[in-house]
Amino acid sequence: TDTATKQVDSSNQLHAGRDGVCGTFNNLNVAYRGQNHTLHSSAECVGESFSSDSWMYRSCMYRNLCFNVESNEFVLFQSPANKLMESSRAPDTDFIASSLNTTVSIGGFVSSWGDGKLRLEWSPKIMNPNELAPSGYYELMEDTVMIPFLAMGANNVGHLLWDSLLPIYSLVSIFGLSESKLLLLRYILTGRPLPYTCQDKFAEKCKENFEKLLPLIGVSTEFSSTLDPVLDLVHEAKSKYVCSSHGAAGIGYLTDHGIMAHGKFVSDYRGTHNYGRGPIILGFRNFILRNMGLELPSRVSAAFPIRITFSLHSSGRDHRNLDFASQISALGALSDPRIIVESHQFSELSMEEEIEIVAQSSILITACGGGAVSSMFLPRGASLIMYYADKKEGVANAKLDFDFLNNMGYVRTHWLSTKNMNKQTSLESFIRLVLHEIEVILL
């Protein structure tokens, strides 16, 4: 194991006996529960579809989820009553929402993985609670929730936000734990890494993006995988178990695309994944703003001035690397001092600067793709104009992330083609759309 267990010197501010705190686990306080202390675990699972692939859709909340710092395993301690129940149920016909044997997907899916996605089926190890009696265990504070997850695509800020952090927020919201402190442990697959899981050539970029974005959800950048968590103690380690009164896992179907892709394939347009999810997305937006200490408008101002923001060069792809020069010029020709037109290349700004600009915009204009992720920070009632590239992504009219952006609920999302976008007729159509949206905003 690479887990660091070290003794804290006497100058450390944590002292055994004060509220029972005797150290930290990944910067979160722990208290020691001594010998002969034991505990029982339970599970509460949702998302069952009564099929062989139900694990892809399920999420579970655990009471008393523990982590073994020596074996790097997550553990549930089975009570006699649970063991008796499990032994008497018919696994082929009975579904018990509180079964400890219920599997979930530890992370989000990538369509190119094929059968590789089967490696994401996961559940904690089940053990006898008597295992705890000789050593006791370290207990996190009551307001902490422990979450194991596999990071997918975290080398890209947009994927990290919508394929890991949003699913984690959705997960804790399902079970009423959104006000809890989050203890995130990035799960490491054994064997050959799957692509885009931060265990490959993108590992350093993933680390950089996590350090940049984790503060948005109130998580210390003292963040680790399941292989390298840090248990800091004021005494020599007495137990290998760190337990949380609450835990949760199962984010596979909670990403922005579920088991579909992002709008690159014809099959992506045969249904919707995010319909009705607007309140969760808005809650995630506001959750981030609170964690950043930003007091920004929650609703667009129904008065002049109207602030129109262009996101320039938001994609590195040639067909979506747009400067919007013709559109900016056309708006300038209106010569209306009540309409403020701004343009920014957000990749050159800090995350906080980008969020502040978008959150104070009435209308945001950008190209679809990863660079459009900041659109979720628009205030309620704002308008989003997305430009998409015709026949450039392997499918006609590839409106990337359409399902997420169309279902935010608090923003009106419009789609315009880049084909002929700078011709006079297209510019006139663009101006008419903008003027209509201004009228709607002012109602």
Side-chain angles (χ1 to χ4, degrees):
T1 179
D2 295 324
T3 302
T5 304
K6 58 184 180 181
Q7 188 170 345
V8 180
D9 64 41
S10 59
S11 64
N12 193 292
Q13 293 184 0
L14 295 173
H15 297 283
R18 190 190 68 188
D19 300 325
V21 172
C22 62
T24 63
F25 183 62
N26 278 17
N27 267 9
L28 293 175
N29 288 348
V30 293
Y32 178 61
R33 301 296 177 240
Q35 294 177 342
N36 299 319
H37 274 79
T38 188
L39 78 172
H40 297 152
S41 304
S42 68
E44 177 183 333
C45 302
V46 299
E48 180 62 39
S49 65
F50 304 105
S51 61
S52 60
D53 60 2
S54 284
W55 62 272
M56 295 194 296
Y57 310 103
R58 288 192 292 246
S59 300
C60 293
M61 185 270 287
Y62 307 103
R63 292 303 309 269
N64 299 325
L65 176 65
C66 301
F67 185 76
N68 183 329
V69 299
E70 293 182 1
S71 66
N72 306 120
E73 294 175 299
F74 290 91
V75 176
L76 297 174
F77 290 99
Q78 188 174 37
S79 70
N82 183 275
K83 186 174 182 179
L84 186 62
M85 179 273 292
E86 295 280 8
S87 66
S88 63
R89 76 183 181 101
D92 294 334
T93 58
D94 299 347
F95 169 70
I96 306 298
S98 54
S99 171
L100 300 185
N101 290 302
T102 305
T103 57
V104 300
S105 176
I106 195 67
F109 304 108
V110 176
S111 57
S112 62
W113 286 346
D115 287 343
K117 70 176 182 293
L118 300 178
R119 295 174 59 193
L120 273 62
E121 185 174 8
W122 175 90
S123 65
K125 183 177 181 179
I126 299 174
M127 297 188 67
N128 189 311
N130 292 335
E131 169 75 18
L132 288 175
S135 65
Y137 58 93
Y138 292 98
E139 182 180 55
L140 290 152
M141 299 298 103
E142 178 70 23
D143 61 351
T144 303
V145 55
M146 182 187 289
I147 301 175
F149 74 104
L150 180 75
M152 185 271 285
N155 56 294
N156 176 289
V157 168
H159 284 300
L160 172 54
L161 197 62
W162 288 354
D163 291 324
S164 288
L165 303 190
L166 171 62
I168 287 169
Y169 176 80
S170 301
L171 177 68
V172 295
S173 296
I174 288 171
F175 297 109
L177 299 171
S178 59
E179 299 300 317
S180 302
K181 292 179 182 176
L182 304 180
L183 171 59
L184 305 184
L185 289 169
R186 183 170 65 82
Y187 189 79
I188 301 297
L189 285 172
T190 57
R192 183 178 180 180
L194 287 170
Y196 315 114
T197 55
C198 295
Q199 295 174 237
D200 51 16
K201 62 183 179 180
F202 298 117
E204 282 304 310
K205 187 61 178 178
C206 286
K207 182 176 185 294
E208 176 186 327
N209 286 342
F210 270 114
E211 290 177 349
K212 181 179 182 181
L213 293 193
L214 282 177
L216 303 189
I217 61 169
V219 175
S220 165
T221 51
E222 290 290 330
F223 167 72
S224 74
S225 74
T226 48
L227 296 184
D228 55 7
V230 177
L231 180 59
D232 266 354
L233 301 170
V234 298
H235 55 230
E236 186 175 347
K238 300 178 180 179
S239 174
K240 59 186 177 183
Y241 293 108
V242 177
C243 299
S244 178
S245 61
H246 291 93
I251 64 171
Y253 205 63
L254 300 179
T255 65
D256 67 314
H257 63 282
I259 59 174
M260 301 187 295
H262 290 270
K264 296 178 68 172
F265 306 109
V266 172
S267 58
D268 297 337
Y269 297 85
R270 293 174 182 160
T272 180
H273 172 70
N274 290 292
Y275 180 76
R277 201 178 179 189
I280 286 286
I281 300 171
L282 179 61
F284 183 53
R285 170 201 186 267
N286 295 335
F287 178 69
I288 288 175
L289 295 184
R290 288 196 302 272
N291 283 316
M292 296 184 72
L294 298 177
E295 295 185 7
L296 295 169
S298 60
R299 180 177 292 275
V300 71
S301 173
F304 286 112
I306 294 293
R307 188 178 300 276
I308 300 175
T309 301
F310 285 86
S311 175
L312 308 182
H313 306 294
S314 62
S315 172
R317 302 288 182 92
D318 289 343
H319 51 283
R320 288 188 275 120
N321 189 355
L322 307 178
D323 63 11
F324 294 112
S326 297
Q327 289 70 31
I328 294 171
S329 177
L331 282 175
L334 296 177
S335 300
D336 189 336
R338 301 173 302 171
I339 301 175
I340 300 172
V341 179
E342 299 180 357
S343 58
H344 301 275
Q345 189 164 339
F346 288 131
S347 61
E348 298 178 348
L349 303 179
S350 69
M351 179 65 71
E352 183 171 333
E353 290 171 324
E354 180 177 355
I355 290 174
E356 286 183 326
I357 290 168
V358 173
Q360 297 178 79
S361 298
S362 310
I363 300 173
L364 175 65
I365 301 161
T366 184
C368 67
V373 68
S374 58
S375 61
M376 65 171 283
F377 295 105
L378 283 165
R380 179 182 290 279
S383 178
L384 172 63
I385 299 177
M386 301 290 302
Y387 275 86
Y388 67 95
D390 270 342
K391 302 180 181 179
K392 292 290 185 179
E393 300 285 348
V395 58
N397 307 331
K399 302 175 181 70
L400 301 180
D401 301 311
F402 78 97
D403 185 61
F404 182 90
L405 298 170
N406 286 351
N407 288 301
M408 289 192 289
Y410 56 95
V411 172
R412 293 180 305 283
T413 304
H414 314 282
W415 297 84
L416 300 180
S417 173
T418 56
K419 187 177 182 180
N420 302 321
M421 65 181 288
N422 296 325
K423 289 190 174 181
Q424 187 60 33
T425 53
S426 295
L427 290 172
E428 288 176 357
S429 178
F430 165 73
I431 291 296
R432 289 169 182 169
L433 173 60
V434 169
L435 292 176
H436 174 267
E437 290 306 295
I438 292 175
E439 178 182 275
V440 172
I441 289 169
L442 296 175
L443 288 176

